[in-house]
Amino acid sequence: MTFTTRIKEEITQYGIGQVESLVELAAFIRFNGQIKKNKISLTMENASVARRIYKNLKNNFGINVNIIVRNQRRFRIKQIYILEINDRVTEILESLNILQNGKRILPGEYFTETEEEKASFLRGAFLACGSINDPSTAGYHFEFTTSQKKEGLFLLNLLKEFNITAKILKRSNHYMVYVKSAEMISELVRLFGATNSFFYFEDIRIYRDHKNMVNRLNNCEIANQEKILKSGMKQ
């Protein structure tokens, strides 16, 4: 299980209210959904995330959602979960502030009244298109991936409201919003409500910081000894 999968599964156990569930759902459909005429398709690899989104759709809109499970054979066999929405598509997209008069729009003031709603939007975006490197095996790296530059910039500005500095760059046919600061990534994990993953990340971060500090002190000591040796040789 990857660290990203571990966090997403923990997030799905995090309880939220109705408004927050709508905001989370809006972000997930915006960044994951394939929207066609009278149809929304949501594709995911995580069964826990699929259950969370299915439950949010049923609780908030009371619609029938088709569930398709497929086996994907790429390096290894894994299951892909597809949720298809065929009922009240336009109504759902407009109520979630994704479409207006048949056109796709950026998120407006729908969810920006409270910090909890802003966090719910970021949480939904992470479930849809986010990933985090395992700090024990790689460098610190958090990212969102989106096909729309404007939506990437929107995420960038939303992160700034939590004092999290991110950058955006284009990679082939999509845009990546990423964070490299270990402290800020840790804050994001906490913001998502993944408490166990937060403590795991903090433990690794503290250990690595301590190890780096010891290495720097050793390097300084070796450099000082070399300077003393050179000075002695000159004298």
Side-chain angles (χ1 to χ4, degrees):
M1 181 187 295
T2 66
F3 186 54
T4 297
T5 301
R6 176 178 167 181
I7 293 176
K8 289 184 178 182
E9 289 195 353
E10 189 174 354
I11 287 173
T12 61
Q13 306 303 316
Y14 183 71
I16 53 176
Q18 184 179 11
V19 174
E20 286 79 10
S21 71
L22 281 169
V23 176
E24 185 180 288
L25 187 60
F28 190 90
I29 293 177
R30 179 177 291 276
F31 291 103
N32 179 282
Q34 294 181 342
I35 302 171
K36 299 179 180 179
K37 187 176 182 180
N38 299 322
K39 183 179 178 180
I40 303 172
S41 295
L42 305 170
T43 304
M44 58 214 84
E45 299 178 3
N46 191 309
S48 297
V49 175
R51 283 194 295 268
R52 172 105 163 181
I53 300 304
Y54 177 86
K55 182 179 178 180
N56 282 352
L57 285 166
K58 293 289 288 185
N59 289 346
N60 288 298
F61 297 102
I63 58 174
N64 293 320
V65 181
N66 297 326
I67 305 174
I68 302 170
V69 181
R70 293 177 180 170
N71 289 327
Q72 185 183 70
R73 288 177 169 82
R74 185 182 298 173
F75 304 115
R76 62 185 178 86
I77 298 175
K78 61 181 178 180
Q79 289 187 323
I80 302 296
Y81 304 90
I82 303 172
L83 304 183
E84 290 188 348
I85 306 166
N86 298 299
D87 299 333
R88 299 163 53 195
V89 171
T90 301
E91 177 188 343
I92 291 171
L93 293 175
E94 288 182 350
S95 66
L96 295 177
N97 208 31
I98 297 173
L99 289 186
Q100 191 174 79
N101 298 323
K103 294 183 179 180
R104 190 181 182 97
I105 60 173
L106 284 175
E109 299 299 320
Y110 171 75
F111 60 91
T112 56
E113 293 183 359
T114 67
E115 185 173 296
E116 288 77 12
E117 291 171 10
K118 295 174 187 177
S120 293
F121 189 88
L122 289 172
R123 186 168 57 245
F126 175 73
L127 291 175
C129 65
S131 65
I132 302 179
N133 284 356
D134 189 330
S136 66
T137 60
Y140 301 118
H141 183 83
F142 172 98
E143 70 176 56
F144 292 112
T145 304
T146 176
S147 59
Q148 302 287 329
K149 184 177 181 180
K150 289 183 178 180
E151 292 183 344
L153 292 171
F154 182 85
L155 286 173
L156 195 75
N157 292 327
L158 190 57
L159 288 168
K160 286 181 181 178
E161 296 192 31
F162 291 96
N163 297 317
I164 295 172
T165 303
K167 295 182 179 180
I168 185 170
L169 61 81
K170 186 175 183 180
R171 178 182 290 173
S172 62
N173 60 344
H174 61 269
Y175 294 87
M176 181 176 72
V177 178
Y178 65 96
V179 180
K180 286 290 189 181
S181 166
E183 184 177 351
M184 292 180 181
I185 294 173
S186 178
E187 174 61 20
L188 272 171
V189 176
R190 185 199 64 79
L191 195 66
F192 293 156
T195 306
N196 292 332
S197 298
F198 166 75
F199 286 123
Y200 168 81
F201 190 95
E202 281 294 285
D203 285 343
I204 299 296
R205 185 169 76 90
I206 292 169
Y207 169 77
R208 289 180 65 173
D209 288 348
H210 178 73
K211 185 178 179 181
N212 290 336
M213 182 184 68
V214 171
N215 288 338
R216 284 194 296 269
L217 290 174
N218 287 336
N219 291 337
C220 288
E221 183 66 24
I222 292 171
N224 288 335
Q225 290 178 358
E226 288 178 350
K227 287 181 180 178
I228 292 171
L229 182 61
K230 288 179 180 180
S231 297
M233 292 294 289
K234 286 180 181 180
Q235 291 177 1

